[in-house]
Amino acid sequence: MPGKLTDGELALICAFTSDCASIASEGNIMATRLTVEQRQEAARWYNAGMRSEEIASRLGIRPGSVSKVVKEGGGVLPEVREARKRRGGSYDLAPLVSMPLSPEAKYWLGLLYTDGCICRQGIGWSLSLGLAETDLASVEGFRSFIKAEQKIHRRKQTNLGGQDIVYLRLYSTVFADQLAPFGIVPQKSVSSRPGEMLRESPDFWRGAIDGNGWLGLDVRNRLFLGLAGTKDACKDFWAFCHSITGTETRPTKAAHAESWSLKLSCRNAAIVMKALYDRPGPAMARKQGKALGILSGYRGLDANRDR
């Protein structure tokens, strides 16, 4: 589908080295064996702007050990920490995760849940949101909402109809703790569940559909709407849809993969489409426009009952 990236594709955007990688070379020195001078040198390198991966390579240690080594060598200078914050390092997602969550925050959490990527990077975490160039406005909207100033990057991708990927990448040591309560975790496409505070929110599910869902009219002019994800996520989406439609259509597992999906059609799809897209708040322009266009010509909803 246009605009859809897998976690694997987004992981390629997160240019970093996993701290889980094994040390194969016999010449590598474990972090615990570094001298005081080496630790101090690591701190100087880091404060001078050297990347964690380069520091790890020079010292022969795991990238995941750099944070501790730098701290033991004198730590990060306050002015360096502030500079990293301004350009994407040590970034704080407070506008997104502060409770109580706003409807806008729930939407962006839904989009991140399906189309975001959080990965280990050196001494912290990398968070990326990447979409096809067609949906650049959504990446810009997310950047604006969290009050970030980082540049949106482009990357060539051959499997999106020739479109570039546009993505925003941020870095912080606290992303994992901030996002875990909402189900946004590393390898979330394998096993994750939306946070309880999100499961009944139409704004969250609109974001999820924008990221990893589909909607439209089939060849027989019947409405359809669906979402793909983990088993738990699809069960939660079913519970939301059941609460407003009474549908008994259940999620199904893909024949040759671990992914699940829930697919609705006709009137049930129209009711959910209306609940998600015929309301104020952020949305992917491409999908919202399509949804509202379909609903404008659909006569199967009762104006008073199906709100």
Side-chain angles (χ1 to χ4, degrees):
M1 294 180 295
K4 174 67 187 76
L5 303 178
T6 67
D7 278 353
E9 290 168 337
L10 283 172
L12 294 176
I13 298 172
C14 303
F16 63 90
T17 304
S18 170
D19 66 329
C20 297
S22 61
I23 299 178
S25 171
E26 295 181 0
N28 285 340
I29 305 171
M30 299 300 293
T32 55
R33 296 173 55 193
L34 293 177
T35 65
V36 173
E37 290 75 14
Q38 286 174 313
R39 297 171 195 274
Q40 292 173 343
E41 189 69 19
R44 285 194 292 270
W45 288 338
Y46 186 83
N47 285 314
M50 187 179 294
R51 292 177 59 85
S52 299
E53 292 83 354
E54 176 64 19
I55 296 173
S57 176
R58 289 193 180 193
L59 295 177
I61 62 175
R62 300 173 189 267
S65 300
V66 172
S67 177
K68 181 180 179 181
V69 170
V70 169
K71 183 177 181 180
E72 293 171 346
V76 182
L77 296 175
E79 58 270 27
V80 173
R81 191 180 302 277
E82 182 61 26
R84 287 179 63 83
K85 182 176 181 179
R86 287 196 300 268
R87 69 174 185 267
S90 301
Y91 196 82
D92 188 357
L93 290 176
L96 181 68
V97 301
S98 297
M99 303 295 283
L101 296 173
S102 67
E104 292 83 3
K106 292 178 180 179
Y107 169 80
W108 294 117
L109 287 168
L111 188 60
L112 282 177
Y113 182 81
T114 50
D115 245 352
C117 178
I118 181 169
C119 309
R120 194 61 149 144
Q121 179 174 351
I123 66 171
W125 299 90
S126 176
L127 175 68
S128 294
L129 175 65
L131 302 169
E133 189 173 20
T134 301
D135 303 314
L136 170 63
S138 290
V139 182
E140 293 175 333
F142 174 67
R143 180 178 63 174
S144 175
F145 179 76
I146 61 174
K147 298 179 171 59
E149 298 179 357
Q150 288 70 31
K151 179 181 177 181
I152 294 175
H153 301 276
R154 281 177 167 79
R155 180 174 179 273
K156 292 292 183 181
Q157 189 73 12
T158 58
N159 65 345
L160 291 175
Q163 291 192 64
D164 288 351
I165 294 172
V166 289
Y167 67 94
L168 176 70
R169 184 173 63 191
L170 305 171
Y171 174 85
S172 174
T173 57
V174 298
F175 281 162
D177 291 337
Q178 287 185 310
L179 294 173
F182 308 107
I184 302 172
V185 296
Q187 298 183 325
K188 57 184 171 55
S189 62
V190 178
S191 176
S192 68
R193 185 180 186 185
E196 186 175 359
M197 74 294 289
L198 299 171
R199 297 171 196 166
E200 297 179 4
S201 167
D203 298 291
F204 172 78
W205 292 117
R206 183 173 68 257
I209 292 290
D210 279 354
N212 203 25
W214 57 92
L215 57 88
L217 296 170
D218 66 16
V219 293
R220 297 174 61 183
N221 212 35
R222 297 177 303 184
L223 280 73
F224 63 84
L225 179 145
L227 176 71
T230 65
K231 181 178 181 180
D232 285 338
C234 289
K235 287 173 64 176
D236 288 336
F237 184 52
W238 173 84
F240 169 80
C241 295
H242 178 76
S243 71
I244 61 176
T245 68
T247 180
E248 293 300 330
T249 301
R250 300 281 180 159
T252 57
K253 183 177 180 297
H256 303 292
E258 291 302 316
S259 63
W260 289 68
S261 64
L262 177 67
K263 304 173 185 178
L264 302 179
S265 60
C266 300
R267 188 170 180 276
N268 287 336
I271 294 173
V272 175
M273 200 180 296
K274 181 177 177 64
L276 299 188
Y277 288 98
D278 190 13
R279 62 187 298 113
M284 188 175 285
R286 175 172 56 85
K287 287 188 178 179
Q288 184 174 44
K290 188 175 184 179
L292 295 180
I294 291 171
L295 291 172
S296 68
Y298 185 70
R299 299 292 180 261
L301 296 181
D302 182 279
N304 295 316
R305 182 177 59 178
D306 300 316
R307 291 179 296 175

